[in-house]
Amino acid sequence: MEIIDEREYVFFNSDNEVMVCKSLKELMFLLAAIKCGIYESSNWYRMAKCLGSLGINVPYEFKHCLNPPSIDVLRHIGEPILRRIIWELKDAK
């Protein structure tokens, strides 16, 4: 899926922490919508619960993307989650 590749590119290559944060956050919500349905992905808490049921711990650092931590923190915390999300999304095709 093109959206997956685009968000992965932004996560690793953007120099804007808001864009880095939103790129992973969008993929987390997408996976929750696919795996658990639209209702269970309608807000942060439902999305986190859905992904938690898949064994994915949603990092709180990605909740408030308009005021995120540094890019280094986001990438350090988010990269393993991003890899797992991408794997799950590609497997869901």
Side-chain angles (χ1 to χ4, degrees):
M1 294 186 346
E2 192 174 317
I3 189 170
I4 297 169
D5 296 335
E6 289 172 0
R7 297 307 177 266
E8 180 181 21
Y9 180 84
V10 168
F11 183 85
F12 287 113
N13 296 292
S14 179
D15 59 357
N16 182 317
E17 59 272 350
V18 171
M19 294 302 295
V20 171
C21 183
K22 285 186 173 191
S23 64
L24 178 54
K25 188 174 184 177
E26 287 176 17
L27 291 176
M28 290 189 292
F29 273 97
L30 177 61
L31 181 60
I34 290 170
K35 293 288 190 173
C36 299
I38 212 71
Y39 180 77
E40 294 303 324
S41 64
S42 62
N43 64 43
W44 176 266
Y45 299 104
R46 289 183 179 144
M47 177 272 294
K49 182 179 176 186
C50 169
L51 296 185
S53 72
L54 301 172
I56 300 170
N57 293 320
V58 174
Y60 185 79
E61 289 81 1
F62 289 83
K63 183 174 182 184
H64 301 290
C65 286
L66 294 180
N67 188 20
S70 73
I71 288 176
D72 291 338
V73 169
L74 291 171
R75 288 190 178 133
H76 177 74
I77 292 169
E79 184 175 356
I81 305 299
L82 176 71
R83 298 287 179 211
R84 174 73 189 278
I85 297 284
I86 289 171
W87 182 81
E88 291 281 350
L89 286 169
K90 290 186 176 182
D91 188 53
K93 280 186 181 179

